[in-house]
Amino acid sequence: MAPDTSSSNGNASNLPSENGFLDSLSLLNSEKAVKEVIEQPLVEGIEGHLVEFSEAMRTVGKVLRRAADGKASAQAEASEWKRKYELEREKNLQLENKVLSPAELHNNHTEKNIENSAQHLEPMHETKEQPQKYRGKYGIYSHEVLWDKEQNSCSNVHSKLLRKASFKLHWSCKGEKNDQHKHDVVSFEKGNITTAERSSKQICLKWESPPQTVLILTKPNSISVKVICAEMIRWLKEIKLSIYVEPRVRMELLAESSYYSFVQTWKDDDGVLLLHEKVDLVVTLGGDGTVLWAASLFKGPVPPIVPFSLGSLGFMTPFHSEQYRECLKSILQGPISITLRNRLQCHVIRDAAKTEYETEEPILVLNEVTIDRGISSFLTNLECYCDNSFVTCVQGDGLILSTTSGSTAYSLAAGGSMVHPQVPGILFTPICPHSLSFRPLILPEHVTIRIQVPFNSRGHAWASFDGKDRKQLGPGDALVCSMSVWPVPTACRGDSTNDFLHSIHEGLHWNLRKTQSFDGPRES
């Protein structure tokens, strides 16, 4: 009898076969592996975020602790200032309630009571017309006692106490943390600012010890200058002064006579850098160009210069060579009036330079620095900045940055104004601008001017410094100019104003015209 295979086959269909069981196990293992692979980076990521979160919380905790400490410190400081304010107010009330008369101001007993009622306040010198002032610990005037004009020694009227805020003025420099003042140009007594005292006085030089060494600089290739120079050297030798000349001049003197062997000179550039430590006075024989040459020899401090007129221009040479003995005697004895002529310090910054002032050495100019188009047929395209503020774009033949001493030179020819040499400022004068509204400017001396050649410029620009040391400026290059801290002191024949007016009258024939006749018709 055949077996019933239908039931067995049916049971077999309900139970998994051996191969199916293995397939299920492999599927479960693969799903578990995939789950582990997925969950492992999730756990690691969560742990990393927890670490970062804990570090951030620690940082926040530190900041909160610092803020709490700062708040506590600020509260303590505020309470201290409040205490001082209450104490100061109490002292002021005591001073207001105290009866004083002008006669009592000169009484020692009254002064002692004032000192006891206002601690740390020292009475200053007082008169009947001037107010009684009290100076604090650091020299700051914190009170002014003004007495009523109507009160008398017998009256019992309370004194009137007025307070005026005290302050100090500081010359600030961006990026520099120092209290070095460039010039003392203001006074601020009693809280009032005034500059009248400085602006109304000429500059005078007094010798603390007599000069011992004189440097003589001469105009080359001039027979008259050589004659005057030889005579001056012999006279200075007679009055026992040491004399320095240029190496060229010393060779010319020795070729003429061995008598001049006592004349000293320098051998190399290092000797030039040390001239300001040896020379007390500089004498120039020539024109304004010789004065410019003398100023260019000194990269730092410049000794007083006595310029004698032996050239074609005389804006900076007020002394006559025929009277050199009388002039030098007066100057060596002193005191003398001088003109402090400011110089511009210029830096050429190349586009390839990583930092400013990296590749080019600074150049000092006494007259002007000129940026022009050179031989190019294209107009110059110069971007101008003043203390990092955009000023304008110059399109024309070029631009002149001039000192006030150079206002009578190239800047004047380009349409700039004539300025007294002791006026602190920088002249901003365009050269043939392609604009009807481009007028010259005068900027204050403390600014820094940057002239940039843009990258899209069609040509190069050229910079010249007092007419020499010509440098090419390509696209991306810049020229930075600021006022030098080392001015050039030149001796005056009279004073700086008289010398300036005389120079523009004689050198430029300023406002010279024929006087109108008085024989014409008159107003009825």
Side-chain angles (χ1 to χ4, degrees):
M1 189 172 176
D4 188 4
T5 58
S6 61
S7 60
S8 62
N9 291 336
N11 293 333
S13 62
N14 294 330
L15 295 174
S17 63
E18 183 177 358
N19 293 333
F21 182 75
L22 295 176
D23 293 337
S24 298
L25 288 177
S26 61
L27 182 60
L28 290 174
N29 292 333
S30 61
E31 290 178 355
K32 186 183 295 184
V34 171
K35 187 176 181 181
E36 290 178 356
V37 171
I38 295 175
E39 290 180 351
Q40 183 175 0
L42 290 176
V43 173
E44 292 178 355
I46 293 174
E47 292 178 354
H49 286 302
L50 289 176
V51 172
E52 293 179 358
F53 180 73
S54 62
E55 292 179 356
M57 291 301 296
R58 284 196 295 270
T59 304
V60 172
K62 291 180 181 179
V63 173
L64 291 176
R65 285 195 297 271
R66 292 177 182 175
D69 295 341
K71 182 178 180 181
S73 177
Q75 290 177 350
E77 185 177 0
S79 61
E80 179 66 17
W81 279 109
K82 182 178 180 181
R83 186 187 65 82
K84 292 181 179 180
Y85 170 75
E86 296 293 340
L87 182 61
E88 188 73 14
R89 187 174 66 171
E90 183 180 355
K91 293 176 183 178
N92 294 338
L93 292 175
Q94 293 178 4
L95 288 174
E96 290 177 356
N97 295 329
K98 191 170 185 62
V99 179
L100 295 176
S101 64
E104 291 175 331
L105 290 175
H106 301 280
N107 192 302
N108 294 332
H109 179 70
T110 305
E111 292 180 355
K112 184 175 180 181
N113 292 337
I114 295 176
E115 292 177 358
N116 293 333
S117 62
Q119 297 179 359
H120 305 293
L121 299 177
E122 303 173 6
M124 299 296 293
H125 178 71
E126 68 269 5
T127 62
K128 293 182 179 180
E129 297 179 356
Q130 295 179 349
Q132 171 76 14
K133 295 180 286 186
Y134 295 93
R135 185 172 63 185
K137 181 179 180 182
Y138 298 101
I140 300 176
Y141 299 117
S142 57
H143 300 83
E144 284 189 1
V145 181
L146 302 180
W147 302 104
D148 195 346
K149 295 181 180 179
E150 297 180 357
Q151 75 173 22
N152 50 52
S153 58
C154 300
S155 64
N156 196 22
V157 181
H158 290 284
S159 61
K160 186 178 181 181
L161 180 67
L162 298 179
R163 298 192 60 181
K164 187 165 184 176
S166 300
F167 57 85
K168 289 185 178 180
L169 298 182
H170 296 278
W171 303 113
S172 61
C173 298
K174 294 182 179 179
E176 297 182 6
K177 296 181 179 179
N178 54 43
D179 294 331
Q180 183 180 1
H181 293 179
K182 192 171 184 180
H183 297 297
D184 296 331
V185 299
V186 297
S187 60
F188 29 89
E189 184 180 359
K190 300 180 183 178
N192 301 319
I193 303 175
T194 175
T195 60
E197 183 176 359
R198 175 187 182 269
S199 60
S200 63
K201 291 186 177 180
Q202 302 287 345
I203 301 176
C204 184
L205 186 147
K206 295 181 180 180
W207 301 107
E208 294 184 355
S209 60
Q212 302 293 328
T213 306
V214 177
L215 170 63
I216 300 178
L217 299 175
T218 63
K219 176 184 177 181
N221 304 322
S222 175
I223 298 177
S224 60
V225 170
K226 291 181 181 179
V227 174
I228 294 294
C229 178
E231 292 180 1
M232 184 179 294
I233 289 175
R234 288 194 294 268
W235 179 74
L236 292 174
K237 175 64 175 177
E238 293 177 359
I239 60 177
K240 300 179 180 180
L241 289 179
S242 299
I243 303 168
Y244 273 82
V245 296
E246 298 175 79
R248 169 186 58 82
V249 177
R250 189 174 188 275
M251 292 177 61
E252 294 175 355
L253 292 173
L254 291 177
E256 180 181 346
S257 173
S258 60
Y259 167 78
Y260 299 101
S261 59
F262 61 88
V263 177
Q264 304 179 61
T265 187
W266 56 89
K267 297 181 180 180
D268 50 20
D269 295 339
D270 294 337
V272 177
L273 297 176
L274 299 177
L275 275 178
H276 69 278
E277 299 179 357
K278 303 175 182 179
V279 175
D280 300 319
L281 195 68
V282 179
V283 175
T284 63
L285 302 176
D288 290 349
T290 311
V291 179
L292 296 177
W293 168 247
S296 66
L297 290 179
F298 298 91
K299 308 302 181 183
V302 185
I305 298 178
V306 184
F308 286 92
S309 177
L310 285 165
S312 57
L313 291 178
F315 294 106
M316 293 187 286
T317 54
F319 296 98
H320 300 296
S321 59
E322 298 83 3
Q323 305 170 353
Y324 73 87
R325 296 193 180 188
E326 293 78 7
C327 295
L328 289 179
K329 282 182 180 179
S330 175
I331 289 172
L332 292 173
Q333 292 176 359
I336 58 175
S337 295
I338 63 171
T339 300
L340 288 180
R341 302 181 180 273
N342 292 321
R343 292 189 290 179
L344 285 176
Q345 180 171 288
C346 308
H347 295 267
V348 175
I349 304 173
R350 302 298 179 183
D351 177 48
K354 296 180 181 179
T355 59
E356 291 190 357
Y357 321 131
E358 180 183 14
T359 58
E360 302 287 341
E361 294 183 356
I363 302 174
L364 296 176
V365 297
L366 180 56
N367 265 357
E368 76 277 315
V369 53
T370 304
I371 307 99
D372 57 63
R373 63 178 180 171
I375 61 175
S376 175
S377 59
F378 302 111
L379 296 177
T380 57
N381 187 11
L382 304 174
E383 296 177 353
C384 305
Y385 300 86
C386 179
D387 284 344
N388 297 323
S389 298
F390 179 73
V391 178
T392 188
C393 183
V394 177
Q395 289 183 304
D397 282 352
L399 178 68
I400 302 171
L401 298 179
S402 171
T403 64
T404 50
S405 295
S407 65
T408 53
Y410 195 1
S411 176
L412 176 66
S417 177
M418 291 186 295
V419 187
H420 191 288
Q422 286 191 181
V423 174
I426 302 175
L427 279 67
F428 186 91
T429 309
I431 306 173
C432 298
H434 198 255
S435 172
L436 295 177
S437 59
F438 198 164
R439 304 301 302 158
L441 298 176
I442 300 178
L443 301 172
E445 64 170 344
H446 61 79
V447 302
T448 299
I449 301 176
R450 181 186 180 96
I451 310 299
Q452 180 88 33
V453 180
F455 288 98
N456 60 353
S457 177
R458 301 177 67 183
H460 293 78
W462 294 83
S464 58
F465 308 88
D466 277 343
K468 56 185 179 181
D469 296 333
R470 197 163 173 83
K471 295 181 181 294
Q472 185 178 13
L473 301 178
D477 295 343
L479 178 69
V480 178
C481 299
S482 59
M483 195 67 73
S484 172
V485 297
W486 308 113
V488 177
T490 58
C492 301
R493 186 179 179 186
D495 56 54
S496 60
T497 301
N498 289 333
D499 287 359
F500 172 69
L501 295 177
H502 182 268
S503 67
I504 62 176
H505 280 296
E506 295 295 326
L508 296 175
H509 303 292
W510 179 62
N511 197 28
L512 182 62
R513 68 179 297 271
K514 188 176 180 179
T515 306
Q516 189 172 2
S517 174
F518 293 99
D519 297 334
R522 301 174 182 270
E523 294 181 357
S524 58

